[in-house]
Amino acid sequence: MQTRDKSGSVSRRQFVAAGVIGGAVLASGCKTAGNADWEFFTPGEARTLAAICDQIIPADDFPSASQAGVVNYIDRQLARFYRPHRDAYREGLQKAQKLSRGSHSKELEALAAEQQLQMAFLIEKEQAEFFEMVRRHTFEGYYGSPRHGGNRDAVSWRMLGLSEPPLLGRAQYDLRKADRK
Amino acid sequence: MKRVNAVVIGAGAAGGIVAKELACAGLSVVLLERGRWNTAADCRKDDLRNQRTTVLGNAFGPEEEGNPRVWVDARGQANTALPNEGAYQNNAACVGGGTLSYGAQAWRYMPQDFRMRSTYGAPAGSSLEDWPISYDDLEPFYDKAEWEIGVSGDYSGTPFKGPRRRDLPMPPLPPGKEFGILEPAARRLGLHPFHIPMARNSIPYNGRGPCMRCRWCVGFACEVDAKNGSQNTVIPVALNTGNCELRTGCMVKEILADERGRARGVSYFDDRGQLQEQPADVVVVSGCAVESARLLLNSKSNLFPNGLGNRYDQVGRHFQGHHYTGAVGYFDFETYDDIGPGATIAISDYNHGTPGLCGGGMLANEFIRLPIHMVDRMPPGTARWGLAHKQAMRQWHKQSIVIMGPTQQIPTAAGRVTVDPAAKDKWGIPVARFEGNSHPHTFEIGDKQAQRAEAWLKEAGAIHTSQMTHKTEIVSAGQHQAGTCRMGNDPHGSVVNRFCQVHDVDNLFVIDSSVHVTNGGFNPVLTIMAIAYYASDALVRTWKGTGLRS
């Protein structure tokens, strides 16, 4: 089903789906945390969540959580299967901002990387249940199937050295030599 | 609706076989299934939504909404469980049942598994009991299941098994890398490793091709239809007889009893939500342990005020499954070959015979793992998140092996399925409620199994290991659920007789894992199938045209 968002372009959901099918070329055009039209989050909430997710899976020579689409994954699911977690996210993100302003007088996403890491430890301690939920969902988004908006271009699978697209129908072992002991 | 000879409730491992056996014997059969018939298009490989990893729901039912269950925690508090949660104890709701998406390990139980009480004595507080039938009674039907459903593997490496009339119909799949690492290590420990029996084609069989060895196996439907379940073996045969009608999307509300105390048919909600009645000479309940017990308990009438088969408060008791424990080993070389199904090697040295332990279980390497399965299985001391966790995933995902196995649970009468007094499903039918737990000795056996798994991994060269043990708050039944309509000779202590016939309703049968007195230290499906063949055989032999020969 083709739906158009307000600006008349193909909706982000379809765009992401197209990215998955099209592979690397299209995927690089997927929207990131900064400019997406979110299904559930406000742009501010998305930035805050991205800051937390990127401490759970930071960038090294492979993308961070938000770069791989984890915030998109969580956002999409909050409009679908994770609907019951909406309040937990809304309130949890507000509390996290409060913690950040309290200790650094700044928004979480405006902090330097090192301070964000400190904040992540603080959130884990002060908002244990919320942090655990975000941690779980971040891993799902990063290591799960690309079709849900995360693991963009199967980047985590490539990182782990798994063939992508997968090789199927191989006969790597000779059936005649099967161990029949 | 037109009367039929038999209505079979549930098109899973057992129901599919019963329908086929009865239809082939000439009986008219209606097979009712609450789920749908999936097609090749439903075989999508979704790491987050399948029948094993359910963070985004179950791919093969039931749906998240309108199908709650209730579980009572250790403090006596009742909680709602949704189908994607562990406490729900889900199997599946579709044609084929669990066999559409299972890992397909197709084990025979060992002779001792049928006489646990005689072998070990019942621990205080347990309801450990012998079966009224023996391994030898089931052997011909194990054989039939192996050949009709199609099992590959090779038992010849182990002396720990019952006698068998012939080999499996298919050789094992060629061994993968983990087999090569674990096999010599097991031998050095004096163990007897061998190829896991699997209801999976290793060669063309039954008109379908062999396994293509992909990464998405347990929890997924097979893209090339190489995994053998009731949906691609017996059910098509049943339908081809012309004697069997399969109705999907049909939820049975209750089994109806007549004024003489015999079953006269079932009432069910059809796929449009309309309440229908299907009269039948014989009713066979094959809904799996949770739903079969629930249906009997919900089938109340003047003669059966506490539900059918429940005159002595036995329905739902002795609820069991398996207590899974094991270990993860981390190696300084690659162990991962990306070749499914992954689980290839097992030992059954530890199923029986350890002094002080009532049984044990099989140990095997785990199915091929998806990355999401490993995020909380990093070596001890690894950070739970952050850069260190990410790098640990990169380092260890292809350098680890998981060994685990189903510890045979010691059942209790208090570990049971009842019907919740308040919660109802979307049809308005009272839902299943779980109470009680397995006997605590179960956890002692499980801990020992984890140590053994760890020792095997160390011998294989693991440089780090971590045990996977836990103590559950309720019975861990899940897809291996069993025991709720115990088979026995004494009507006061069981629900069905040795032919799966409800003690006081002679045309009502329960044929599925519910009748398991104990659940073996192995995946239960082949035993469920063998019992379905065995009980169908008895039913057909006593059939006299429009009813049963007494």
Side-chain angles (χ1 to χ4, degrees):
Chain A
M1 193 173 58
Q2 284 284 314
T3 52
R4 300 266 158 178
D5 66 15
K6 287 177 215 109
S7 61
S9 64
V10 175
S11 77
R12 187 182 49 77
R13 183 184 173 192
Q14 289 161 341
F15 200 178
V16 171
V20 171
I21 295 158
V25 179
L26 275 174
S28 63
C30 281
K31 293 178 179 179
T32 53
N35 60 355
D37 51 334
W38 302 97
E39 292 191 48
F40 171 73
F41 291 127
T42 65
E45 285 171 334
R47 283 194 295 274
T48 310
L49 181 60
I52 300 172
C53 293
D54 284 353
Q55 291 309 317
I56 293 169
I57 304 179
D60 46 10
D61 42 342
F62 283 88
S64 71
S66 71
Q67 288 164 349
V70 165
V71 182
N72 303 61
Y73 165 77
I74 296 173
D75 180 64
R76 282 179 61 173
Q77 289 310 322
L78 287 171
R80 294 175 178 75
F81 200 81
Y82 285 153
R83 208 172 268 275
H85 297 306
R86 285 171 161 225
D87 290 348
Y89 267 95
R90 197 132 271 166
E91 287 160 23
L93 289 170
Q94 268 167 22
K95 274 189 197 155
Q97 277 303 13
K98 217 167 159 186
L99 276 182
S100 175
R101 283 194 293 266
S103 45
H104 293 95
S105 316
K106 263 187 185 172
E107 307 277 294
L108 191 57
E109 57 269 27
L111 299 179
E114 209 168 290
Q115 291 170 317
Q116 284 182 344
L117 181 58
Q118 266 176 22
M119 282 306 303
F121 281 116
L122 190 63
I123 296 166
E124 187 183 28
K125 191 161 154 260
E126 300 290 325
Q127 300 172 247
E129 215 172 299
F130 169 70
F131 187 84
E132 178 55 23
M133 175 178 71
V134 176
R135 187 186 80 97
R136 223 174 49 238
H137 294 169
T138 299
F139 284 155
E140 290 167 13
Y142 197 81
Y143 293 108
S145 302
R147 66 163 53 87
H148 300 293
N151 193 8
R152 189 169 286 162
D153 196 24
V155 72
S156 73
W157 297 351
R158 293 167 197 274
M159 174 179 89
L160 299 178
L162 301 175
S163 59
E164 180 57 37
L167 300 170
L168 302 174
R170 287 165 297 179
Q172 292 201 349
Y173 301 95
D174 187 345
L175 188 60
R176 288 164 302 179
K177 291 181 193 158
D179 186 329
R180 301 297 308 275
K181 268 177 261 178
Chain B
M1 223 171 256
K2 192 173 165 238
R3 184 175 188 84
V4 293
N5 293 141
V7 58
V8 179
I9 303 157
I17 287 171
V18 174
K20 179 248 166 188
E21 289 293 286
L22 301 190
C24 288
L27 280 72
S28 55
V29 178
V30 164
L31 177 57
L32 296 174
E33 168 54 49
R34 66 178 164 150
R36 51 191 281 253
W37 196 328
N38 293 279
T39 65
D42 299 305
C43 296
R44 81 177 199 180
K45 291 161 171 177
D46 188 332
D47 293 22
L48 303 177
R49 181 182 167 84
N50 53 74
Q51 217 60 13
R52 193 181 222 205
T53 305
T54 57
V55 296
L56 299 184
N58 290 286
F60 304 115
E63 288 165 10
E64 206 63 6
E65 284 183 18
N67 296 293
R69 284 175 180 169
V70 174
W71 66 284
V72 179
D73 62 27
R75 293 166 299 145
Q77 185 75 38
N79 307 275
T80 301
L82 298 175
N84 82 317
E85 296 167 349
Y88 191 87
Q89 316 271 17
N90 191 33
N91 187 0
C94 62
V95 176
T99 69
L100 174 71
S101 58
Y102 61 176
Q105 293 193 34
W107 292 95
R108 293 182 176 206
Y109 290 175
M110 289 162 65
Q112 299 95 309
D113 293 324
F114 296 89
R115 37 189 174 84
M116 289 293 284
R117 189 188 179 104
S118 301
T119 306
Y120 297 105
S126 80
S127 57
L128 199 65
E129 193 48 88
D130 292 352
W131 292 52
I133 58 173
S134 68
Y135 174 87
D136 293 338
D137 292 327
L138 273 190
E139 201 283 332
F141 303 98
Y142 270 134
D143 181 78
K144 189 169 182 180
E146 286 164 348
W147 285 75
E148 281 203 1
I149 306 295
V151 176
S152 60
D154 186 353
Y155 276 102
S156 63
T158 179
F160 304 103
K161 62 189 172 194
R164 43 182 309 129
R165 61 189 55 206
R166 55 179 165 167
D167 288 339
L168 293 168
M170 289 179 275
L173 284 165
K177 210 166 189 169
E178 292 191 2
F179 191 105
I181 297 164
L182 293 172
E183 196 257 2
R187 288 193 190 285
R188 286 196 298 275
L189 291 171
L191 302 170
H192 301 81
F194 61 104
H195 297 268
I196 300 174
M198 296 267 195
R200 178 182 289 98
N201 288 356
S202 59
I203 53 175
Y205 192 80
N206 220 348
R208 287 173 286 106
C211 171
M212 68 167 180
R213 321 224 49 187
C214 81
R215 199 188 299 158
W216 292 267
C217 193
V218 60
F220 301 88
C222 180
E223 194 174 340
V224 296
D225 217 11
K227 202 150 67 175
N228 306 324
S230 64
Q231 81 288 343
N232 59 3
T233 56
V234 284
I235 290 173
V237 173
L239 299 180
N240 277 339
T241 62
N243 295 334
C244 178
E245 181 188 342
L246 169 64
R247 295 183 197 149
T248 58
C250 294
M251 180 68 183
V252 177
K253 177 169 174 270
E254 59 184 314
I255 301 156
L256 305 166
D258 65 19
E259 68 285 357
R260 293 177 302 142
R262 301 185 86 234
R264 63 178 173 88
V266 300
S267 68
Y268 68 94
F269 292 99
D270 68 15
D271 57 356
R272 287 176 300 177
Q274 302 292 314
L275 193 60
Q276 306 283 359
E277 259 188 37
Q278 176 60 59
D281 299 324
V282 170
V283 174
V284 179
V285 183
S286 300
C288 213
V290 175
E291 292 296 317
S292 289
R294 174 191 176 202
L295 178 58
L296 292 179
L297 293 171
N298 276 331
S299 301
K300 294 177 181 171
S301 58
N302 288 340
L303 286 173
F304 303 98
N306 299 316
L308 279 164
N310 199 33
R311 195 175 297 281
Y312 301 106
D313 190 25
Q314 287 299 306
V315 172
R317 293 193 180 277
H318 322 296
F319 184 42
Q320 53 195 299
H322 285 117
H323 175 54
Y324 265 85
T325 63
V328 192
Y330 309 89
F331 296 77
D332 57 8
F333 54 89
E334 271 200 17
T335 55
Y336 182 89
D337 57 9
D338 205 24
I339 307 282
T344 51
I345 185 168
I347 51 167
S348 43
D349 297 62
Y350 297 134
N351 280 69
H352 293 284
T354 307
L357 295 185
C358 296
M362 165 278 284
L363 287 174
N365 68 326
E366 168 63 317
F367 282 92
I368 187 166
R369 54 190 170 273
L370 301 170
I372 191 69
H373 297 153
M374 293 304 286
V375 295
D376 285 323
R377 282 184 183 167
M378 289 294 107
T382 305
R384 294 172 66 247
W385 52 274
L387 193 60
H389 182 274
K390 185 184 189 185
Q391 291 176 345
M393 284 292 286
R394 289 166 72 172
Q395 180 171 2
W396 300 114
H397 184 70
K398 292 178 121 179
Q399 293 183 196
S400 49
I401 296 179
V402 180
I403 291 178
M404 58 187 195
T407 292
Q408 178 151 193
Q409 286 177 351
I410 308 298
T412 67
R416 66 188 300 197
V417 176
T418 60
V419 165
D420 193 77
K424 294 191 165 68
D425 65 14
K426 63 184 169 190
W427 296 278
I429 308 171
V431 304
R433 172 186 171 108
F434 306 122
E435 298 173 11
N437 204 344
S438 303
H439 190 276
H441 183 52
T442 303
F443 304 114
E444 295 171 13
I445 306 171
D447 289 352
K448 183 71 185 173
Q449 291 292 91
Q451 293 162 20
R452 289 160 160 169
E454 186 178 36
W456 187 2
L457 289 162
K458 282 186 170 155
E459 182 61 31
I463 51 173
H464 307 292
T465 52
S466 61
Q467 291 183 20
M468 303 187 294
T469 59
H470 59 286
K471 284 189 175 52
T472 54
E473 235 179 304
I474 52 172
V475 176
S476 162
Q479 289 163 332
H480 292 190
Q481 57 186 262
T484 55
C485 301
R486 183 173 263 193
M487 177 192 280
N489 295 323
D490 175 11
H492 296 263
S494 59
V495 176
V496 298
N497 66 17
R498 58 185 281 127
F499 301 115
C500 299
Q501 195 170 20
V502 171
H503 284 302
D504 55 355
V505 187
D506 73 350
N507 66 337
L508 175 60
F509 293 75
V510 180
I511 305 180
D512 62 19
S513 61
S514 308
V515 307
H516 292 194
V517 177
T518 51
N519 209 23
F522 300 101
N523 307 51
V525 76
L526 194 77
T527 302
I528 296 168
M529 290 168 167
I531 286 173
Y533 281 116
Y534 156 87
S536 303
D537 177 69
L539 200 164
V540 167
R541 278 191 286 106
T542 51
W543 180 255
K544 57 175 182 184
T546 55
L548 299 168
R549 200 176 299 133
S550 51

